[in-house]
Structure formats: structure tokens, C-alpha cells
Amino acid sequence: MTGAACGAIARSMTDDPPFSPALLPAGFVDLLTPDARTEAEGVDALMGVFASHGYNRVRPPLMEFEETLLAGSGASLADQSFRVMDPDTRRMMVLRPDITPQIARMAATRLGGAPRPLRLSYSGSCVVVLPAAAEESGRQIMQAGIELIGPDTPQADAEVVSVAAEALAQLGVPGVSFDLTMPPFVPALLEEAKVPAAVRPALMRALDRKDAAAVAELGGTLSETLITLLRAAGPAEQAVSLLARINLPPRSRAIIQRLADTVEAVRALNPTLRLTVDPVEFRGWKYHTGVCVTVFAVGRSEELGRGGRYLCNDNEPACGLTFRPDVLFRMIPPAAARPRVYLAPGADRQVAASLRKQGYATLAALGGVSAAGAKGAASTQAEAHGPEYDRAEARRLGCSHILSGATCTELE
Amino acid sequence: MTGAACGAIARSMTDDPPFSPALLPAGFVDLLTPDARTEAEGVDALMGVFASHGYNRVRPPLMEFEETLLAGSGASLADQSFRVMDPDTRRMMVLRPDITPQIARMAATRLGGAPRPLRLSYSGSCVVVLPAAAEESGRQIMQAGIELIGPDTPQADAEVVSVAAEALAQLGVPGVSFDLTMPPFVPALLEEAKVPAAVRPALMRALDRKDAAAVAELGGTLSETLITLLRAAGPAEQAVSLLARINLPPRSRAIIQRLADTVEAVRALNPTLRLTVDPVEFRGWKYHTGVCVTVFAVGRSEELGRGGRYLCNDNEPACGLTFRPDVLFRMIPPAAARPRVYLAPGADRQVAASLRKQGYATLAALGGVSAAGAKGAASTQAEAHGPEYDRAEARRLGCSHILSGATCTELE
């Protein structure tokens, strides 16, 4: 066997593809135009709606010490986080997998004395070690969201939902649905109903899978209630009215009442929002203590955003919602591009400036690249000149107009 | 000695401060309002000017494989880069210390077939292991810039300078100065003048320090020329005219001629720009092959941005300029805040929406926080109601107006 053949076999055995200079790590992408512009302008639009409701923009850093970022509510993120050592302090730093814990830290430290309700907004990129689910292919995750810190009221939960809905409407995202859940409800109910601890994990899994047969088998005296709860999931008003008729122990009843109050508060702000309720859903909510919300586009399974109620720095009531702009912006039309005007050599500079003010992009002739557009064409190459050459250049560069002297002409 | 006392001494010996939950690693900061908004809106303004000159926005990822990001012109960044292992491929990934090499990679791969001149713009954060200089305290560095790939002409160099100047004018940065340098010039001259290799490092250091005495001592037959070059640094037209009178060998002469042509091309686009030239400056330009530019605010030592000519992926002519928004935005007035309107309970929703459209921020009453603003006030606490309470709430939250029912009133 020759060395080369041996290498080929070794490669195929380790599944190591030949390295390409264009290769990016899985889950990291280059955004080009118009996607990069759509995302940036979309984030601006979201942040504008947040600001119009009094949310003040903050920008925490990309990295923090492990001790601060993964403390308290951040602990659940530990297994998703890239770490590096800070050569200064020899402490481990974490590349943030989520921005919410950073906002909580700011609210408790530098903004500890700021008046409540404290309304904060943010946007930025996070990095996770592995995607949360197979269909979420990104490891660099863009986030844009709001946190509302201080009040623990249905009105506060409802404001977050309502501001998020207004932001999506502003972006023009079609057919969105807000799904409300109450993660503390099922654990509280199983506890109050004295379901044996040994049965709970299997019962929780059955509820999570919406497996009515397994729930009936494992639920004991609670079976009927749990099956009714499973079936209550659906449009918010209908679910709330069903839930009101179920017999529940006091703590579970109070939790469900808070969900009903939140639905009512959302309705007061947004009577037409598509709102659903799933009382037994609890999966994926790691540090949440009250009403949670997932935002979907109707007919699609990807989440556009999610949020809910939690304890900011383990002691202060807070709720928030984070959008995933990278998912969101695949659902809206690309940002409108400026129409492009080619500036022929000698084009009037004042007219060009005025065209830019009117919303055109002007592309100046620079010499050094042939009309054929060959990459790396020698700059010393003799170039054709005159109107025909200029028009060809304009077309080659995707321009719809050409400015020669002070005259702007549309190309056929 | 007790164990506790021993621990205290060990801590004082290693200079390890007690850990605070508010502590961030050196060079990483939280931006609050208005700084975070000033930065975001400033970046938008920069990107808008770039777009108006036909620069298409792209967004490369925060991390790449070491093999791609630190290849070619990126190699000089290796010692500034944080690395982590990709658990998928077991390859090392780099947290980007600079965006320009990523743009070069894109230009050579996915955009290899796009027409030239290829105009690209970008903004985003980078992370460096240690700050480049003591006065630059950041390790998370924001960048916003442009790259112009294809033509190797004075017009291309001049466009980058001129677009950057227009962007700063748009932001309202006062009194900026563009300093042009030609890093390949001194090495070319020493080579052509056959300065002995053993002398060159000391001579380069003397030139770098502008130490005329040492230059005279080390420069041999070139001493007089080098001293004249040192003194030529200054306002662009004056420097160019001095340089034209110096006797130079052919390659050095051609390099200086290109600098003069660039000054002329900049002047054709921007006759009033404050433009200086320093022909012997070469420090800090690691991968540059032609005219370079540093942007200063007059009377301040911090760089606002820098850029220059290089070879994109080692073979295609390119030039670009990158701003440091984190430095830039300390020099402009804070972004104007929306005036804030407090929405008393029952405030008219349509009027509130119309106020938001007019540029106000509306802050809804949410209950659950006392007028005293005490953090974590119990939501069940009895609350005062009525106009006096609402006005107190409005003032506490920094509102200038209050909306009660459909009536908006300015607070005294």
C-alpha cells in the first residue's frame, strides 16, 4: 500500500473531510447582503418598539467571569458554555450563551438603585457549545429582547407579551401565535396531590409527551384531572374557562388563577392576539417561576422567541422575552436595497451627494478593473473609455442609473 | 497560625482581590443608557453612509477555525486571539480579534465571483487577549468599517478616506484629522540604498522614535535623506511638495509618487479635509502593502479608526478602513432620549399608541411596586390611588408627561 493510499484510508476511517478555506465550524455562518441588512434593520425595528415602551437599551459584554455569568439562574447554562482562561486573573471566563442572566446581574449591581419597574432592552450575539435541538442549527445565536424587573403582576407579564406582539407586527411577521405555559403548575400539583416521588419522573415524562394512556396509568387518583388538563390546551379563553371548572388543591388553583389573570391582562392590551394556553407544558424552562411564553409563526415549528417570569438574581421578581432575530428574519421580506447609480469619471460631486440624500447608493468609477470584471485584472491594462464603456460598467455593477457630469440617466 | 489567617496571607501575597458579583474581566464593560443607544445609533449612522456609497453589508461569525481566520494576513493576529476547541471536529476555533481577515476570506470564497470593485461593510465585536496599547483599555473591541476589493488605484484609496470622512461628519465628530503613511517605503529605501542588514533594525527603531540624532549616526550615506524625510511629516500638500524634491532611488520614488497621487485623489473628493502625511511611519502596520491611514480627533491621542491597503487573501488588491465605535462615541453628544409619558391606570390605548408614533416613550402603570420605589416591594401591598399618586409615580420614573384617560399633561 502506498503512503498516499494509506492516508486516504486513514482519512475515511476518521471521517475527517479535507480542509477547505471556506469551511466554517458547524452552526456559524456568513450572512451576506441582503440577509445581513435585513437582520440589522430588523433588530433596529425591534429595539425601536422596545424603546417606545420605555425600555432602556443596555449592552453587556460578550464574556464574563464564570462566577458571575453562571451563578444563580445562569447555572442551568453551564453545560452550553465555551470557557477560556483570563490570562490576567487566571480565572475562567465564559463566552455568554444567553444575555438574560447578564441583564439580571446588571439589575442587581449597577442598576440596583434604579427605580422599579426597571425596563431594559438588549440585542447581541451569544455562542452555545451545541444547539439546543437538532432543528436549531446555530451555535452563534442572535438575541434581541426585553426584561421588566420589579413588579410581579399579571399586568407586567401582559406588557411583555403585548410589546413583543407589537414588535412582530412592526416587522411585518405574518400570523404569529403566543403560547402561554405555567411551568411551576405540574410540579406543584403533583406535590399537593401527594403523588409518590418514585412515580413523578415517569408521570412528568408522560405529560411532556402528551401521552394520555400513560398519564391515566401513572396518575392514580389524579388521573382524571391530569387528562382534563392535557385536553385543556388550546385557544386561551377556552382553556381558561375549562381550567376554572377543574377541582384543584389551593396552591395549584392559585397558580392557574394567575395564568387566567394574565390572559385577561393580555386581552385588555391586545384583544385580537392569537393566544393559546398549555397548562401542563414545562419542558425547557429551567429558571422560570411563573407564566412563560413561546412565540411561534402559525404553521411553522421554529420558535421566534420565548420568555417568562423568573427571579432576577434569586430575589427580585422579573419577566422578559427574547427574540431570535436569525429565525425571525427568514420570515420577512428582505430589506429594500438602495437603487444604485454608477458615477462615471467626472460625475458631478454635488449631484452625487444629493442622490445619496434621496436614498440612492452611488458607486464611483475607480479605474483598475477591466470591464470584463475579471478579478485581479492588471491595473495598468489599457481601458476603453466613453459612454458605452461607462454603461457597461454600470450594468456590470448592478446599477440601474448612471450619472455622467450632472446628468442622471436610467439604464434600459 | 490558624487556617483562616494563613488563607488571608496567601490571598494578600497573590494579590487576589475578594470576588464581587459586579466584577467584569478587565477590558469588558457594561454599557448603559444612553451610551448603549449612542453606540448603536452611531453604528447605524456609519453603516448608512457606507451603504450610500454602494458598500454591501455582510456579517461574518464571531468564531472561525484557526486555520481560516489566522491564515495569510490573519497570521499576525495569532498572539492576540482566544482559542477554544470545537467539540465536533476537535479543531481549534478562534474568537475573532479582527473582522478584516474574515471579509478577505469571504471575498475570496463565496464572493470570489462577485463583480469587482467589491464594496463590503460590516460592524460587530471582536475580542483580543490583551489590549494593543496601555491607553486602549478594551479587550472587547467594536469595529465598523468598509473594505474595497479589486482596484489598486489612488482613486480607491481616496474613496475609502473620503467615505470615512463623510461618515464622521454625519456623526458630528468634531475636528478630525486623517494621517497618511506608507509602511513599505522605509524598508524599500533601506534595501535600495544597500544599508547593511545589521544596521537596519537599530535604524528602523531610530526612525520609529523620530530620533534625528540616532538616524544621523546610523544612516550612513542615507542620513541626510532620512533626516529630510523625518522633517517632511506634516500637512499633506506641504509634505508632498517636500518629498518631490528629495532624491530617491526608483522603487522608493514610485512608492512616494503613489502617496502623492493618493493625496491628490483625496483632494479631488474632499478639498477641505485635514490631511497629514508621515512618510517614515511604519509602526503597527502588519499586513499592509500600500498607503495606510489613521484617523484622529484633533487634540486627542486615541485613534478613531485606521486602515490601509493590503492583499486580500494574499493575492487580490484591497483597501479598507475600520472605525472603533467605542472610542468614537465618547466624542459625540449622547443620543437624544425619547421624552417619557407615564400611562396612569386606564389611560387611553389609542392615544398612547399615537404618542409612541410621535416619538414619545410610554411607560404603563403595572402595579406591584410602591411609590417609594423600594425594590422588591410586595405586590399585595395596599397602594394609594388617584392623581397625586400617579404624578408621583410619573416623576419617580423620569417621565415629563402623564396620560390620564385621553388627556396628556406636562408635569411641572
Side-chain angles (χ1 to χ4, degrees):
Chain A
M1 194 185 283
T2 67
C6 186
I9 285 175
R11 187 153 53 226
S12 82
M13 284 175 71
T14 58
D15 262 350
D16 212 13
F19 196 80
S20 146
L23 191 68
L24 292 174
F28 293 90
V29 296
D30 287 325
L31 284 193
L32 302 183
T33 292
D35 295 342
R37 197 176 56 239
T38 305
E39 186 185 88
E41 291 178 8
V43 169
D44 283 351
L46 293 176
M47 299 306 284
V49 172
F50 300 159
S52 79
H53 286 274
Y55 287 80
N56 278 339
R57 188 169 190 148
V58 294
R59 201 210 66 180
L62 280 174
M63 300 180 91
E64 293 195 15
F65 287 124
E66 186 169 18
E67 287 104 319
T68 59
L69 193 62
L70 302 182
S73 60
S76 59
L77 304 164
D79 61 347
Q80 298 174 32
S81 306
F82 279 111
R83 292 167 179 81
V84 292
M85 196 178 70
D86 174 19
D88 264 7
T89 58
R90 313 287 169 92
R91 283 196 165 104
M92 293 309 285
M93 301 194 297
V94 174
L95 194 51
R96 65 179 179 201
D98 188 9
I99 299 179
T100 300
Q102 299 189 295
I103 308 295
R105 172 184 57 71
M106 292 167 76
T109 55
R110 277 179 75 187
L111 295 172
R116 267 54 178 171
L118 179 63
R119 291 173 167 96
L120 300 174
S121 67
Y122 56 88
S123 70
S125 291
C126 301
V127 177
V128 293
V129 173
L130 286 173
E135 72 272 12
E136 291 179 321
S137 56
R139 286 200 286 183
Q140 177 172 339
I141 292 172
M142 183 84 180
Q143 293 189 336
I146 51 177
E147 305 296 333
L148 173 49
I149 297 145
D152 180 6
T153 64
Q155 286 74 29
D157 294 326
E159 169 166 309
V160 166
V161 169
S162 159
V163 168
E166 188 178 324
L168 293 179
Q170 172 77 27
L171 276 186
V173 181
V176 295
S177 171
F178 284 72
D179 190 35
L180 301 184
T181 59
M182 201 40 144
F185 172 62
V186 165
L189 178 58
L190 301 195
E191 171 105 21
E192 284 191 301
K194 301 199 168 55
V195 173
V199 178
R200 283 186 211 172
L203 184 55
M204 302 271 278
R205 277 196 300 278
L207 286 166
D208 184 32
R209 292 194 315 269
K210 318 273 186 219
D211 179 347
V215 168
E217 190 188 319
L218 294 161
T221 57
L222 210 53
S223 289
E224 201 184 328
T225 304
L226 290 173
I227 300 281
T228 315
L229 285 166
L230 269 186
R231 293 192 180 135
E237 277 75 9
Q238 181 187 313
V240 163
S241 118
L242 261 168
L243 290 168
R245 294 200 296 272
I246 300 179
N247 196 19
L248 291 171
R251 219 175 102 223
S252 307
R253 167 53 60 204
I255 292 173
I256 285 297
Q257 186 56 45
R258 174 62 180 269
L259 183 60
D261 293 345
T262 301
V263 168
E264 194 185 329
V266 171
R267 278 291 170 243
L269 296 170
N270 191 326
T272 59
L273 186 67
R274 196 186 298 240
L275 196 63
T276 61
V277 161
D278 188 344
V280 301
E281 174 74 38
F282 54 84
R283 181 178 41 169
W285 301 102
K286 290 185 176 174
Y287 52 78
H288 291 84
T289 58
V291 175
C292 288
V293 57
T294 314
V295 191
F296 292 103
V298 175
R300 295 182 63 138
S301 62
E302 279 175 315
E303 286 181 12
L304 304 182
R306 58 157 58 198
R309 177 157 291 284
Y310 60 98
L311 281 178
C312 179
N313 255 51
D314 290 333
N315 67 26
E316 189 176 13
C319 56
L321 190 143
T322 305
F323 283 119
R324 288 277 312 265
D326 39 1
V327 177
L328 215 46
F329 302 131
R330 276 180 257 141
M331 314 191 52
I332 58 175
R338 287 169 178 258
R340 291 155 78 92
V341 182
Y342 182 73
L343 304 184
D348 187 290
R349 283 179 41 234
Q350 306 303 326
V351 175
S354 137
L355 287 168
R356 286 193 293 274
K357 271 212 181 105
Q358 292 167 51
Y360 289 90
T362 63
L363 284 78
L366 297 173
V369 177
S370 81
K375 190 172 107 178
S379 62
T380 52
Q381 175 182 333
E383 282 173 14
H385 284 290
E388 263 319 310
Y389 174 86
D390 291 337
R391 276 197 289 275
E393 276 294 276
R395 284 197 197 90
R396 190 176 69 79
L397 294 171
C399 295
S400 57
H401 294 72
I402 185 165
L403 180 68
S404 303
T407 311
C408 185
T409 323
E410 189 164 0
L411 295 166
E412 305 90 52
Chain B
M1 196 183 281
T2 67
C6 189
I9 286 174
R11 187 153 55 228
S12 81
M13 284 177 72
T14 58
D15 262 349
D16 212 12
F19 195 79
S20 148
L23 191 69
L24 293 174
F28 292 90
V29 296
D30 287 326
L31 284 192
L32 302 184
T33 292
D35 295 343
R37 196 177 58 238
T38 305
E39 186 185 88
E41 292 177 7
V43 169
D44 283 352
L46 293 175
M47 300 306 284
V49 171
F50 300 160
S52 78
H53 287 273
Y55 287 79
N56 278 340
R57 189 170 191 146
V58 294
R59 201 210 66 178
L62 281 175
M63 300 179 91
E64 292 196 16
F65 287 125
E66 187 169 17
E67 288 103 319
T68 58
L69 192 63
L70 302 182
S73 60
S76 58
L77 303 166
D79 62 348
Q80 296 173 34
S81 305
F82 279 109
R83 293 168 178 81
V84 290
M85 195 177 72
D86 175 18
D88 265 7
T89 59
R90 311 289 168 95
R91 283 195 165 105
M92 292 309 285
M93 303 194 295
V94 175
L95 193 51
R96 66 180 178 199
D98 188 11
I99 299 179
T100 300
Q102 299 189 296
I103 308 296
R105 171 184 57 71
M106 291 168 76
T109 55
R110 277 181 74 188
L111 296 171
R116 267 54 176 170
L118 180 62
R119 290 173 168 97
L120 300 175
S121 66
Y122 56 88
S123 70
S125 291
C126 301
V127 177
V128 294
V129 172
L130 285 174
E135 72 273 13
E136 291 178 321
S137 56
R139 286 200 284 184
Q140 176 172 341
I141 292 171
M142 183 83 182
Q143 293 190 335
I146 51 176
E147 306 295 332
L148 173 48
I149 297 145
D152 181 6
T153 65
Q155 288 74 28
D157 293 326
E159 169 166 309
V160 166
V161 169
S162 157
V163 169
E166 188 177 324
L168 292 179
Q170 172 79 28
L171 276 187
V173 181
V176 296
S177 171
F178 284 72
D179 189 36
L180 301 183
T181 59
M182 202 39 145
F185 172 62
V186 164
L189 178 59
L190 302 195
E191 171 105 22
E192 283 191 303
K194 301 197 170 55
V195 173
V199 178
R200 282 185 212 173
L203 184 54
M204 302 270 279
R205 275 196 301 277
L207 286 165
D208 185 30
R209 290 195 314 269
K210 318 273 187 218
D211 179 347
V215 168
E217 191 188 319
L218 296 161
T221 56
L222 209 52
S223 288
E224 200 183 331
T225 304
L226 289 173
I227 299 281
T228 314
L229 284 166
L230 268 186
R231 293 192 179 136
E237 277 75 8
Q238 181 188 315
V240 163
S241 120
L242 262 167
L243 290 169
R245 294 200 295 271
I246 301 178
N247 196 21
L248 291 171
R251 219 174 104 225
S252 307
R253 167 54 60 203
I255 292 174
I256 284 296
Q257 186 56 45
R258 174 60 182 270
L259 183 60
D261 293 346
T262 301
V263 168
E264 193 184 331
V266 172
R267 279 291 171 244
L269 296 171
N270 191 327
T272 59
L273 186 66
R274 197 187 297 240
L275 196 63
T276 60
V277 160
D278 187 345
V280 301
E281 174 74 40
F282 53 85
R283 181 180 40 169
W285 301 101
K286 292 184 173 172
Y287 51 78
H288 291 85
T289 58
V291 175
C292 287
V293 57
T294 314
V295 191
F296 291 104
V298 175
R300 293 181 64 137
S301 62
E302 280 174 314
E303 286 180 13
L304 304 182
R306 57 158 56 200
R309 177 156 292 285
Y310 60 98
L311 281 177
C312 180
N313 256 51
D314 291 335
N315 66 25
E316 188 175 13
C319 57
L321 190 142
T322 304
F323 283 119
R324 285 277 310 265
D326 38 1
V327 177
L328 216 47
F329 301 132
R330 276 180 257 142
M331 314 191 51
I332 59 174
R338 289 170 176 256
R340 290 154 80 92
V341 182
Y342 181 73
L343 304 184
D348 187 291
R349 283 180 40 235
Q350 307 303 325
V351 176
S354 139
L355 286 168
R356 287 192 293 274
K357 271 211 181 108
Q358 292 167 50
Y360 289 88
T362 63
L363 283 79
L366 297 173
V369 176
S370 80
K375 190 170 104 180
S379 62
T380 53
Q381 175 183 334
E383 282 173 12
H385 284 291
E388 263 320 309
Y389 175 87
D390 291 340
R391 276 196 290 274
E393 277 294 276
R395 285 197 195 91
R396 191 175 68 79
L397 295 171
C399 296
S400 57
H401 294 70
I402 185 165
L403 181 68
S404 302
T407 311
C408 187
T409 323
E410 190 165 1
L411 294 166
E412 306 91 53

